[in-house]
Amino acid sequence: MSIPSPPKMATEMALVKPISKFSSSTPIFTNSRYVKFTTVRMSSTSQPTTKTAVKGGKKAAKTAIKETLLTPRFYTTDFDEMETLFNTEINKNLNQSEFEALLQEFKTDYNQTHFVRNKEFKEAADKIDGPLRQIFVEFLERSCTAEFSGFLLYKELGRRLKKTNPVVAEIFSLMSRDEARHAGFLNKGLSDFNLALDLGFLTKARKYTFFKPKFIFYATYLSEKIGYWRYITIYRHLKENPEYQCYPIFKYFENWCQDENRHGDFFSALLTAQPQFLNDWKAKLWSRFFCLSVYVTMYLNDCQRTAFYEGIGLDTKEFDMHVIIETNRTTARIFPAVLDVENPEFKRRLDKMVEINEQLIAAGESDDIPLVKNLKRIPLIAALASELLATYLMPPIESGSVDFAEFEPQLVY
Ligand SMILES: [Fe+2]
Ligand SMILES: [Fe+2]
């Protein structure tokens, strides 16, 4: 998800509550993305309580902001262009009655009372140990960061579009409500492991990636839909195989993923209202590019964390391919072109990328001097780039539910 300039931390600060019951003897988390309970306590002003806390917290967090290409990111966009796109005077394709209907749906707030925790959480977390514990923590942390990224972007869009298009703006604000809830729930999950993600610090310290509105639409639509398929697949799997239900958060995924599905549907309506982003050859190329980026990122990420998926009884690659195929089928309803992910060549190439990525990681972790490390990396990066390109150039699937006459855009379902 993306985001503009860091917005004021009001709602989001409510996500990180001080956990005063932990004392200095609380297990220390070595990963510095976390607030150390005894040194930095988040308050409603996001200020650490003591000077030492500031130093300790910042120093720690700085180490943590070391990012890779595969880390969940925060984004920003061109808000002036966004305002133009959603100006009903300028854009006659905006179907305000459809947005009104969507707004009513968001106002219904189906999950208002869904995210309520119970004592099962802490008890379950205490039973998770060994390598799985760390990988569980990482799952919570990455998911929380991704949800929080969505919260920040939607909140800012809600704020910036208020004057131009109050209906669309309110939907964004209500989506940020959902994402704040999701991020908050995941962060509370971290508290079961005696940790908490410092979201206030993350907001200020994290680098924001700039995407033009068009790319925000592609990327966000895909990320909502892939989120939906991930959550629902895990939920259904654990419902059928309850012996792997090792932490209760997964029981919430069924209703939770409906939020993501609604968010994705909203972006689908936004894209339909911007036919220029769907109806030319450039749109086809970009659609395929974003599909590729999102699928490859997920595959490479998950293949580095097979212990997590195996820990809940899933085969990582099978799970990912299922999610990719379903997401791609959903996406084909709106994007003008998608990748042929059901062609066996696609998975073969993904697996090749996993191999190369593993070699890249090994090269980075070796004891070689930086020069040697870099020399070793060059051919690997070239090989990865060539796999990516070959996958991108595979014959695509022409798709989309929107057809356009040459000079007079018209929707045909
Ligand atoms: Fe979410
Ligand atoms: Fe979402």
Side-chain angles (χ1 to χ4, degrees), residues 369-396:
I369 57 166
L371 178 69
V372 175
K373 275 187 191 181
N374 287 335
L375 287 174
K376 279 185 178 170
R377 277 190 191 125
I378 290 168
L380 293 170
I381 290 169
L384 190 58
S386 126
E387 275 308 321
L388 278 167
L389 185 64
T391 315
Y392 180 73
L393 294 176
M394 279 173 62

Side-chain angles (χ1 to χ4, degrees), residues 203-235:
T203 307
K204 291 176 194 151
R206 204 100 190 263
K207 269 193 256 159
Y208 288 77
T209 306
F210 178 86
F211 270 177
K212 282 177 75 64
K214 163 174 159 171
F215 303 140
I216 287 282
F217 292 153
Y218 297 141
T220 314
Y221 171 84
L222 277 167
S223 103
E224 293 291 359
K225 288 297 180 186
I226 212 166
Y228 165 78
W229 281 110
R230 286 173 66 81
Y231 285 148
I232 196 66
T233 306
I234 292 176
Y235 175 81

